[in-house]
Amino acid sequence: MSNEKRINEILRRLPAVDQVLKWPEIRDILEKHPRKLVLSAIRESLDARRKSILEMLDAPESGIDAKSILSDILNRLERLSRFTLVPVVNATGIIVHTNLGRSLLAEEALARLQIISSSYSNLEYDLSKGQRGSRYVHAEDILCELTGAEAALVVNNNAGAVLLVLNTLARGKEVIVSRGQLVEIGGAFRIPDVMERSGARLRDVGCTNRTHLRDYEEAINENTALLMKVHNSNYMIVGFTKEVPLPDLVDLAHRHNLLAVEDLGSGSFIDLSQYGLRKEPTAQEAIKSGVDVVTFSGDKLLGGPQAGIILGKKDLIARFKKNPLTRALRIDKLTLAALEATLRLYRDPDTALDRIPTLKMITAPMEELTVRAERLKNLLREVASGEFDFEVENNFSQVGGGALPGQNIPTRVVAITSKKYNASRIEKTLRSFDPPIIGRIEHDTYLLDVRTMNDKDFETVKRAFLRLVS
Ligand SMILES: *Cc1c(COP(=O)(O)O)cnc(C)c1O
């Protein structure tokens, strides 16, 4: 038999989609999965078979029996019906991890999400007047109460907030910024690019490491709209440096009848220097300095949902609300629900520190981390001490999310080594577990930082190692 004939004969033995659909096992599957998905899995599977037969792989007839086709279809179906957005275990010790979803919500915020999303609400309805209202009122009062701001507006995220502020106040005009503050934030958000899109012209002054008040002053001209300070949240300039303090910048702007705007980036409400961290400016301090507008994220140090919070003078906030861009950047009701619940926790700082996961993780005391690291170590030794070595070690966590760069927070990690698996093999295996476990490697040792892990995560890691050794 010629090769071609042999291949054609094998291809003929391959079942058709219609035939496969009649298999009893497939009929069972159709009860549980959408028909369209099952069809895709069958087609993909048969196509792959056909292709490998045509390519005349070593044994073209292998794997065309019903049993192996069925198991291939099931595998493909499992892959097709998987969620793409899934929970992961963050064992990196980076608390506001930009790639792993930034902040976790407080239980109070989750409860509020449930209530507001499963019911109609007064999202845009004024209950006292019985007529159309504004969604922007819902977080405004509490933001003013907590920060001392005259007025507030919340949009989709902080990049949107910066865009809206500059578009409203400086379109076609100049914005003076220090060269040391022209930052790029992960995901290709560059302050200069956003400025350009807002229609404002960037006028950078000073040098990378030093900018003086006179640098701003000399750049002021009849086209200047505002002076802007950008918090260099994700990097540090060390050594011979100078930055103009916000109050001085505000004073200079106001002496020239200009506005002063600060992009605070992370935007904390609590001074974390009480917990041994470096001083980060709080939103309250920015307002106190007299700045006209300040913007920051809802899901960085604040520990709430993704949002862009704008605080400022009443007349300016009113202008932002009227800008058509606001509609394009508008905040969703779920975000508002979670944000209001998060903000309420800040009425008592101790409650905020206890209930908001981001703050709780940042301020977790060493004694607690030690106890938890020992527990994780013992759990893992129980199941995998034969092939792995687990030790508790000192290391450092990071706040992340563009807050407190270079700030190392002492922590305890479980360091994992093995004669059988190297660190990158351990990393890859844990990363492909369900749910995925994301740790980090340092000096060829795989590390799990307990600061960003909870008890459920411990159980997940234990199951992963149980699977690894079995
Ligand atoms: C993070 C950050 C932003 C962007 O905030 P998003 O909420 O991610 O849009 C803008 N400016 C600074 C200084 C930041 O740190």
Side-chain angles (χ1 to χ4, degrees):
M1 198 169 9
S2 78
N3 234 341
E4 200 178 321
K5 249 176 142 178
R6 193 167 133 245
I7 288 173
N8 280 335
E9 197 259 322
I10 297 166
L11 280 177
R12 263 197 303 280
R13 270 161 46 205
L14 209 58
V17 175
D18 286 346
Q19 278 171 288
V20 175
L21 275 171
K22 284 181 199 138
W23 292 354
E25 297 90 341
I26 296 288
R27 273 200 240 135
D28 282 352
I29 292 168
L30 280 167
E31 311 258 303
K32 284 176 255 152
H33 293 274
R35 187 181 172 83
K36 218 174 135 191
L37 215 61
V38 178
L39 270 174
S40 297
I42 296 173
R43 286 212 181 96
E44 267 187 19
S45 175
L46 295 178
D47 285 350
R49 274 290 113 182
R50 201 167 294 121
K51 194 161 167 257
S52 68
I53 294 168
L54 283 171
E55 279 168 3
M56 264 288 285
L57 300 177
D58 293 344
E61 48 278 270
S62 78
I64 68 159
D65 57 297
K67 207 172 143 213
S68 64
I69 292 177
L70 181 66
S71 99
D72 183 56
I73 292 172
L74 290 180
N75 278 337
R76 286 171 193 275
L77 190 61
E78 198 270 323
R79 225 175 306 141
L80 287 172
S81 50
R82 239 183 254 161
F83 280 98
T84 76
L85 182 58
V86 294
V88 305
V89 172
N90 175 9
T92 64
I94 300 168
I95 299 154
V96 185
H97 198 303
T98 316
N99 303 137
L100 302 182
R102 289 196 182 170
S103 282
L104 309 186
L105 292 178
E107 275 168 35
E108 286 78 357
L110 294 174
R112 207 62 204 160
L113 272 178
Q114 170 89 35
I115 290 169
I116 296 300
S117 59
S118 58
S119 165
Y120 288 106
S121 63
N122 62 337
L123 180 66
E124 291 188 348
Y125 188 75
D126 185 330
L127 288 170
S128 62
K129 292 188 186 134
Q131 64 190 39
R132 190 180 203 289
S134 161
R135 71 174 58 212
Y136 298 111
V137 302
H138 299 294
E140 183 161 6
D141 287 350
I142 186 152
L143 278 170
C144 295
E145 173 199 316
L146 293 171
T147 63
E150 276 181 23
L153 173 65
V154 184
V155 293
N156 185 62
N157 62 344
N158 188 32
V162 172
L163 179 73
L164 176 66
V165 168
L166 295 180
N167 179 266
T168 311
L169 304 179
R171 194 155 64 113
K173 300 193 86 178
E174 282 183 10
V175 173
I176 304 178
V177 194
S178 159
R179 276 200 185 107
Q181 295 169 4
L182 295 176
V183 297
E184 171 177 309
I185 293 122
F189 170 77
R190 286 182 166 171
I191 288 286
D193 296 344
V194 171
M195 283 194 163
E196 191 197 301
R197 289 295 161 132
S198 75
R201 274 198 312 280
L202 171 72
R203 177 82 187 259
D204 48 335
V205 297
C207 292
T208 303
N209 58 332
R210 289 171 75 85
T211 303
H212 304 268
L213 195 63
R214 63 167 189 274
D215 293 323
Y216 290 91
E217 188 148 29
E218 283 163 10
I220 292 174
N221 64 70
E222 67 281 4
N223 289 318
T224 308
L226 55 92
L227 309 187
M228 182 160 181
K229 185 175 168 82
V230 181
H231 189 56
N232 37 12
S233 37
N234 57 358
Y235 72 106
M236 257 198 312
I237 296 182
V238 294
F240 185 57
T241 69
K242 177 165 171 61
E243 239 191 21
V244 174
L246 186 62
D248 297 354
L249 197 69
V250 170
D251 180 57
L252 177 68
H254 291 174
R255 271 193 281 123
H256 287 83
N257 276 323
L258 299 170
L259 297 168
V261 170
E262 182 174 37
D263 171 13
L264 202 48
S266 211
S268 175
F269 284 3
I270 292 180
D271 179 1
L272 291 168
S273 63
Q274 311 162 56
Y275 300 93
L277 299 179
R278 204 174 54 240
K279 177 97 184 78
E280 281 267 292
T282 62
Q284 295 93 311
E285 286 161 1
I287 292 298
K288 218 176 192 163
S289 75
V291 74
D292 297 286
V293 179
V294 57
T295 74
F296 51 93
S297 295
D299 57 345
K300 290 184 178 171
L301 271 182
L302 204 64
Q306 176 189 304
I309 298 171
I310 309 173
L311 307 177
K313 303 279 163 63
K314 235 189 172 91
D315 57 321
L316 300 177
I317 296 286
R319 283 172 65 194
F320 300 145
K321 285 181 183 168
K322 283 198 209 105
N323 187 328
L325 263 185
T326 301
R327 179 62 174 79
L329 297 168
R330 84 172 181 183
I331 188 168
D332 159 63
K333 69 175 174 189
L334 297 184
T335 312
L336 264 177
L339 183 64
E340 190 185 9
T342 307
L343 292 172
R344 287 161 60 99
L345 296 170
Y346 278 98
R347 284 185 164 146
D348 175 40
D350 287 335
T351 305
L353 289 167
D354 184 52
R355 304 299 302 162
I356 296 174
T358 297
L359 296 179
K360 200 174 168 72
M361 286 187 233
I362 291 174
T363 59
M366 199 45 136
E367 307 86 75
E368 184 196 313
L369 295 169
T370 305
V371 170
R372 294 184 40 225
E374 289 291 334
R375 223 185 72 233
L376 178 60
K377 177 192 78 179
N378 292 333
L379 269 181
L380 298 180
R381 278 187 178 172
E382 254 172 54
V383 295
S385 59
E387 292 178 29
F388 294 89
D389 188 34
F390 304 98
E391 295 295 341
V392 171
E393 290 179 0
N394 291 326
N395 210 295
F396 295 101
S397 310
Q398 302 269 326
V399 174
L404 294 156
Q407 171 88 60
N408 287 326
I409 315 173
T411 191
R412 297 263 199 262
V413 297
V414 174
I416 304 170
T417 48
S418 165
K419 287 205 173 65
K420 200 164 147 197
Y421 306 90
N422 63 18
S424 71
R425 173 93 187 277
I426 299 173
E427 189 277 335
K428 213 169 150 193
T429 311
L430 295 187
R431 177 157 45 82
S432 45
F433 193 66
D434 177 20
I437 299 157
I438 315 293
R440 67 191 157 93
I441 296 173
E442 222 176 84
H443 308 301
D444 285 329
T445 304
Y446 185 79
L447 306 177
L448 297 167
D449 188 332
V450 294
R451 185 185 292 275
T452 46
M453 301 171 74
N454 60 29
D455 291 349
K456 219 172 104 213
D457 297 337
F458 286 9
E459 291 304 320
T460 302
V461 176
K462 181 178 162 179
R463 274 190 288 117
F465 274 93
L466 208 60
R467 246 251 315 261
L468 251 170
V469 296
S470 65

